[in-house]
Each structure stands twice: as C-alpha cells, then as structure tokens.
Amino acid sequence: MKLDPLSGVTIGVTRAKEQSRSFIKKIEALGGTAIPVPLLAFQPPKDKHKIITALSELHTYDWLILTSANGVHFFLNDVQEQDKFSILNEMNIAVVGTKTGEVLQSYGLQPSLLPEKFVAESLLEELRVKLPTDSRVLVVKGNLSRDIIYEGLKNDGFAVEEVVVYETVENDGVDEDIMQVLTQQTLDYLTFTSPSTVNHFVNIMNKYALSISSDLMFVCIGPITAQAAQHAKLHPLLVAEEYTTEGMIEEIVQHIRRQKDV
C-alpha cells in the first residue's frame, strides 16, 4: 500500500489565520500534520483618505495592479462599499501570482496579465512590454509590500499611483504558540510565506532566547522570503521552485524523498 507522502511529517504554518486554511488542508490531504502558528494579522488602514481618493479617480486608470490575495480582498471590499465595481469590468487587471488571480476570479473578474514567475520583478518586466506608454496605472498594495512595480513604472515615465489598502501587523498573541511548538512538539518543517513572517519569528526567538532544533528545516515560498531567512541566518533552508504553497509542499515532498534515498 502506497503511503501518503507527508505521512508522519509535522509542518508549522506561520501564515496569517485568514490565509492558512487551504494550505493546512493541502498538508493534511497528503497525510501530514499541520500546526498553525499565525505570525501575522491584517487590518485596514486607520486613515482611508488615500483609498477614497483613488476610488474617486478609478475610472481614469487603464491598468490595475494587484500584488497579493489580501490586496484583492481589501481593495474590492472598498470598491464595493463605494459602488465602483462596474468600473473594474472596463479595466485591465494584472496580478502577481495564481493565488491572487484565483481570488480575483472569485469576485467574477479575470486577470489580463499573470507573469511567468510569481514575483514583482517578473510582473514589472512583462508590464513594461505590454503597457502603452500613455497608460495610467494604479498599484494596490499592503503597507509592507515592496515598491518594485511602482518605482519601475514611474522611472519608465508611466503615470502611476499606488495606494495601501491593508496593513500587516505582528500577531502578538502567537508568542506562546511558537514557544510550545519549538519546545514541546517535534516539528520537521517550518514554513515562511513572506519576509514579514521570517522577521516576526526571529523577533520572538530573540525575545525569549529560544533555541532551534538542528533537525528543523525552514521552507520559504520564494527567493525574496529566502533572502530574509538567509539574512537572519536560518538554516537549513528549502525554497519552493514554484512560488506558491503548492510549490512549498512539493519541495518538502521532494526533500523527504531525497532523505530516504541517502
């Protein structure tokens, strides 16, 4: 009888609670045990003046850039509150990855552009090729998102604006969960889906002077998150080839197979 590839494997999921359900289900579907330790939480900005201004001018933009699933949720909630949703049917919408595209589709909208690689740099390069020079572009982002797309398009002479529609904050209530996971449970892998999750994890480690088992493997969703982990000297490290949670799971499965072949 063929065993599930993650049978007997325990994986820590640091993603925010609202985002982790599907990731946890995928781990469990392959026989693994998922331990949720949500390091981050999300909230709307306290001052929504810039969002309201952007929405009042929404009809003037040709392209809308959405860089995360959270950005889709928060922005479209604002769009619906301001009764501007019909304008989106006339716009080109670019998304940075498949998950963001799937969330967009759940609102009945189709992405016009999805880059080959799910990082901002790849989306910027494809936008540079695809956008007419007179395009007006609105970049929707979180407060910790990088400015790669905004700065790149601005430097190229495009009329581009950006608006922060949500804030990422540290989940202060997770400290005890992290300590329990590291000291009382046998954790095989700990997953990071953004540099922010890495940074908050390291802050907790330093705050409580926690030690890490040498058997614990860290798994990053992509190269930007991996850079944060490497900077924090977290190792050993796996990086997903496809920058999705599915890619992270596949990387873990392949790592388990390699270990068995040794």
Side-chain angles (χ1 to χ4, degrees):
M1 183 176 70
K2 186 177 180 180
L3 291 175
D4 293 326
L6 296 182
S7 177
V9 175
T10 303
I11 301 172
V13 176
T14 63
R15 214 167 204 192
K17 184 178 179 181
E18 299 87 342
Q19 296 179 315
S20 64
R21 295 186 187 91
S22 64
F23 192 12
I24 289 173
K25 286 182 179 178
K26 290 169 192 169
I27 292 170
E28 293 175 342
L30 295 176
T33 299
I35 306 294
V37 279
L39 288 166
L40 303 175
F42 305 105
Q43 64 185 27
K46 293 178 181 176
D47 183 358
K48 299 188 74 168
H49 176 73
K50 289 186 177 179
I51 297 174
I52 293 171
T53 299
L55 290 175
S56 70
E57 300 171 352
L58 189 60
H59 63 285
T60 69
Y61 292 99
D62 305 298
W63 278 83
L64 175 66
I65 314 299
L66 297 164
T67 59
S68 71
N70 274 328
V72 176
H73 284 307
F74 278 93
F75 183 67
L76 292 190
N77 283 340
D78 290 329
V79 168
Q80 290 170 328
E81 284 182 4
Q82 297 294 319
D83 197 22
K84 302 283 187 180
F85 195 87
S86 61
I87 298 174
L88 299 180
N89 292 317
E90 307 300 323
M91 297 180 69
N92 294 298
I93 304 176
V95 298
V96 78
T98 54
K99 183 64 178 177
T100 309
E102 290 171 3
V103 175
L104 181 69
Q105 289 171 328
S106 73
Y107 286 87
L109 297 168
Q110 296 294 326
S112 307
L113 179 60
L114 175 69
E116 184 175 344
K117 293 183 178 179
F118 305 154
V119 292
E121 286 84 351
S122 182
L123 179 55
L124 173 60
E125 290 307 310
E126 296 196 29
L127 285 168
R128 281 171 164 158
V129 173
K130 195 173 183 67
L131 266 59
T133 54
D134 59 349
S135 296
R136 279 182 53 80
V137 183
L138 179 62
V139 180
V140 171
K141 54 179 282 189
N143 65 317
L144 298 183
S145 302
R146 296 179 301 147
D147 293 328
I148 295 293
I149 296 174
Y150 172 75
E151 292 294 340
L153 293 178
K154 184 179 177 182
N155 290 337
D156 288 350
F158 289 99
V160 55
E161 299 290 340
E162 65 176 1
V163 60
V164 172
V165 296
Y166 71 93
E167 295 176 347
T168 302
V169 296
E170 294 183 348
N171 178 12
D172 293 331
V174 79
D175 291 22
E176 189 173 331
D177 293 337
I178 286 290
M179 287 191 287
Q180 184 175 5
V181 161
L182 293 179
T183 59
Q184 299 179 22
Q185 293 179 291
T186 303
L187 200 64
D188 300 297
Y189 298 89
L190 185 62
T191 59
F192 295 119
T193 50
S194 69
S196 301
T197 56
V198 174
N199 295 336
H200 190 32
F201 174 75
V202 172
N203 288 342
I204 294 173
M205 294 294 300
N206 293 335
K207 181 178 179 181
Y208 297 101
L210 297 173
S211 59
I212 302 173
S213 167
S214 59
D215 294 329
L216 178 60
M217 179 74 68
F218 298 101
V219 188
C220 294
I221 197 168
I224 306 303
T225 302
Q227 286 176 12
Q230 289 165 343
H231 181 73
K233 303 187 186 312
L234 297 181
H235 59 81
L237 199 67
L238 297 176
V239 184
E241 289 190 13
E242 179 183 294
Y243 311 154
T244 63
T245 53
E246 290 87 350
M248 298 175 80
I249 291 174
E250 177 61 23
E251 194 62 32
I252 292 172
V253 170
Q254 293 303 322
H255 179 256
I256 293 169
R257 289 175 179 163
R258 290 195 298 270
Q259 294 298 104
K260 289 180 178 177
D261 290 339
V262 172

